[in-house]
């Protein structure tokens, strides 16, 4: 009798159950593995509150095409004249890392900025720390941040340098506000601009102050502090800290600020206000600031002024966004002592045209600046400039 044919081992019913079982279990095993990976990632995310850094950079190049003041000796009694003969310069070059997530934000930026003019050069040829601030959310809409930061005074100063319509700030913005300093700021917002609603914001802080009289990144060797408060409101869907682009409907931003700075030999008190209005492609900005410098008794440092010195700065700007172009006109004036008519009283009238790339990562423009002496000796200081910038 012939023996029954034996099936190959791989074709036996019992053997077929193993691969079938493995195939059935594979999706479950994969899902389990994926679940473990997600749990591990969530655990890792929860363990670190610091958001991943995002790099940023800015390069601005200015080319002077024409300048009436060709004297090799800079005029030391004037404001607003960059003293640039025909040629090129790097106005700003910056690179940084920033993050904002999980209730934590930070910004560290280093770079170079060329001086505005010869009256009080505030920069050098070295790379310097521009911003080094860290913030933490205390509650919804309420933040505290510390480090090297902008003192919350003046809309045109608080605007990013990359958003300036003519590539640089007006003369009033350079001489009537505190600037950057080391300190701490409380920043609170109320309401929402979604669907064109109203939003309020209040910033208040304390800083070392008196940068020219002892304040450094390492500390502060005088007992005084700079204290500043800024309140503002915003209505409409548009951005109120830039001028380029069209807005869907009427947008307005308005603010007011007050600050006081007690140094070793002077005490400065300032205040001001600003308004920006945007309709379609139109952007109009007006800003005014006043401050008074008072001498104080000191055996350590002589006062920068010998008597009370009131100063005033005013800026008005009008621009329109059409296609990829932004024509802009701006007037800015500075009175370095409102009780006198002298060489410190200056007005700058500027007109320019700026081209924007599709993503606004690249800008290029031309402008003509006419300087007016509002008191004292007449000076011919008109300038024609071409400029470009790249940001990322």
């Amino acid at each position: 009798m012939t023996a029954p044919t034996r099936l190959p081992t791989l074709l036996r019913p019992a053997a077929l159950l193993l691969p079938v079982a493995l195939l059935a279990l594979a999706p479950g095993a994969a899902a389990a593995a994926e679940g473990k990976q997600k749990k591990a990632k969530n655990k890792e995310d929860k363990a670190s509150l610091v958001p991943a850094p995002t790099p940023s950079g800015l390069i601005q190049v200015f080319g002077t095409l024409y300048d009436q003041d060709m004297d090799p000796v800079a005029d030391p009694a004037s404001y607003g004249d960059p003293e640039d003969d025909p040629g090129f310069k790097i106005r700003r070059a910056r690179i940084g890392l920033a993050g904002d997530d999980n209730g934590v934000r930070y910004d560290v930026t280093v770079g170079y900025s060329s001086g505005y003019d010869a009256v009080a050069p505030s920069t050098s040829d070295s790379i310097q720390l521009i911003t080094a601030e860290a913030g933490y959310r205390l509650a919804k809409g309420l933040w505290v941040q510390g480090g090297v930061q902008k003192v919350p005074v003046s809309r045109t100063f608080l605007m990013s340098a990359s958003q300036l319509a003519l590539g640089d700030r007006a003369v009033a913005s350079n001489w009537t506000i505190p600037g950057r300093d080391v300190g701490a700021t409380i920043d609170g917002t109320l309401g929402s601009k979604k669907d064109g609603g109203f939003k309020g914001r209040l910033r208040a802080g304390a800083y070392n102050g008196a940068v020219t009289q002892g304040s450094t990144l390492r500390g502060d060797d005088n007992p005084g502090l700079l204290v500043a408060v800024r309140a503002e409101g915003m209505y409409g869907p548009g951005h109120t800290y830039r001028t380029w682009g069209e807005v869907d409907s009427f947008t307005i931003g308005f603010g007011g600020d007050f600050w006081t700075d007690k140094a070793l030999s002077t005490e400065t008190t300032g205040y001001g206000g600003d308004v920006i209005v945007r309709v379609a492609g139109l952007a109009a900005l007006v800003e005014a600031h006043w401050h008074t410098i008072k001498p104080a008794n000191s055996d350590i440092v002589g006062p920068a002024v010998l008597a009370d010195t009131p100063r005033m700065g005013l800026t008005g700007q009008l621009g329109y966004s059409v296609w990829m172009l932004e024509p802009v006109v701006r007037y800015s004036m500075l009175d370095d002592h409102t009780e006198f008519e002298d060489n410190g009283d200056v007005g700058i009238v500027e007109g320019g045209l700026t081209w924007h790339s599709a993503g606004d990562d690249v800008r290029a423009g031309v402008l003509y600046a006419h300087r007016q002496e509002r008191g004292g000796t007449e000076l011919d200081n008109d300038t024609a400039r071409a400029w470009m910038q790249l940001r990322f």
Side-chain angles (χ1 to χ4, degrees):
M1 185 176 181
T2 305
T5 303
R6 302 176 64 93
L7 292 173
T9 303
L10 292 177
L11 297 179
R12 293 177 185 176
L16 291 173
L17 294 176
L18 179 60
V20 172
L22 290 176
L23 289 174
L25 293 175
E34 185 179 356
K36 289 182 179 180
Q37 292 178 355
K38 287 183 178 180
K39 288 182 179 180
K41 187 178 184 304
N42 291 336
K43 185 176 181 181
E44 181 181 351
D45 292 342
K46 291 180 180 179
S48 176
L49 290 176
V50 180
T54 300
S56 64
L58 174 66
I59 300 174
Q60 287 182 332
V61 181
F62 283 10
T64 300
L65 306 176
Y66 164 78
D67 186 65
Q68 288 184 322
D69 184 7
M70 300 289 288
D71 194 323
V73 179
D75 42 359
S78 63
Y79 299 87
D81 181 10
E83 286 297 338
D84 292 332
D85 293 334
F88 302 91
K89 74 175 182 180
I90 302 296
R91 178 64 183 93
R92 295 178 180 89
R94 298 176 180 177
I95 188 167
L97 295 173
D100 187 351
D101 197 10
N102 299 325
V104 175
R105 63 189 183 195
Y106 60 88
D107 183 4
V108 180
T109 303
V110 297
Y112 161 84
S113 298
S114 58
Y116 186 73
D117 63 18
V119 179
S122 58
T123 59
S124 67
D125 290 335
S126 62
I127 303 299
Q128 299 182 358
L129 187 63
I130 306 297
T131 301
E133 59 182 347
Y136 183 75
R137 186 173 60 204
L138 301 176
K140 183 179 179 180
L142 182 62
W143 290 77
V144 59
Q145 61 189 38
V148 183
Q149 57 192 290
K150 291 182 177 181
V151 177
V153 174
S154 167
R155 183 177 303 273
T156 56
F157 175 68
L158 292 172
M159 283 183 176
S160 168
S162 65
Q163 295 297 331
L164 300 175
L166 296 175
D168 214 353
R169 293 185 170 88
V171 60
S173 299
N174 286 280
W175 294 100
T176 58
I177 59 177
R180 297 176 185 268
D181 208 340
V182 185
T185 304
I186 296 291
D187 185 353
T189 58
L190 179 65
S192 174
K193 285 187 65 181
K194 292 182 179 179
D195 301 324
F198 176 82
K199 181 179 179 180
R201 186 175 185 182
L202 178 65
R203 282 176 276 187
Y207 315 87
N208 283 343
V211 176
T212 60
Q213 297 189 32
S215 174
T216 69
L217 299 180
R218 298 182 299 274
D220 187 17
D221 64 2
N222 68 76
L225 287 175
L226 188 160
V227 177
V229 178
R230 175 175 174 83
E232 58 186 296
M234 295 150 276
Y235 178 83
H239 203 298
T240 56
Y241 276 90
R242 64 185 61 172
T243 60
W244 165 246
E246 295 186 358
V247 295
D248 294 333
S249 61
F250 175 82
T251 298
I252 185 172
F254 49 91
D257 41 59
F258 172 84
W259 59 279
T260 179
D261 184 7
K262 293 184 178 180
L264 287 173
S265 59
T266 59
E267 180 176 344
T268 305
T269 301
Y271 59 95
D274 51 74
V275 177
I276 183 172
V277 176
R278 302 184 63 185
V279 181
L282 181 70
L285 172 63
V286 177
E287 179 170 302
H289 278 88
W290 297 262
H291 73 247
T292 300
I293 308 173
K294 297 181 179 181
N297 295 326
S298 175
D299 297 329
I300 302 175
V301 178
V305 295
L306 299 179
D308 290 3
T309 303
R311 286 180 172 177
M312 178 183 68
L314 174 67
T315 299
Q317 178 178 302
L318 183 67
Y320 195 87
S321 300
V322 54
W323 188 54
M324 303 175 73
L325 300 176
E326 184 181 15
V328 178
V329 292
R330 180 172 69 189
Y331 174 75
S332 184
M333 60 81 66
L334 172 71
D335 190 335
D336 71 338
H337 201 310
T338 57
E339 297 179 356
F340 301 113
E341 292 186 1
D342 53 23
N343 287 339
D345 300 347
V346 61
I348 308 290
V349 181
E350 297 167 285
L353 181 66
T354 301
W355 172 85
H356 301 255
S357 67
D360 201 25
D361 298 324
V362 180
R363 294 186 179 188
V366 292
L367 68 87
Y368 189 90
H370 170 62
R371 177 186 171 105
Q372 300 174 329
E373 303 302 328
R374 302 178 59 252
T377 306
E378 289 291 334
L379 298 172
D380 294 325
N381 281 330
D382 289 5
T383 296
R385 175 189 305 149
W387 62 279
M388 63 83 64
Q389 79 173 29
L390 169 68
R391 71 180 180 94
F392 61 88

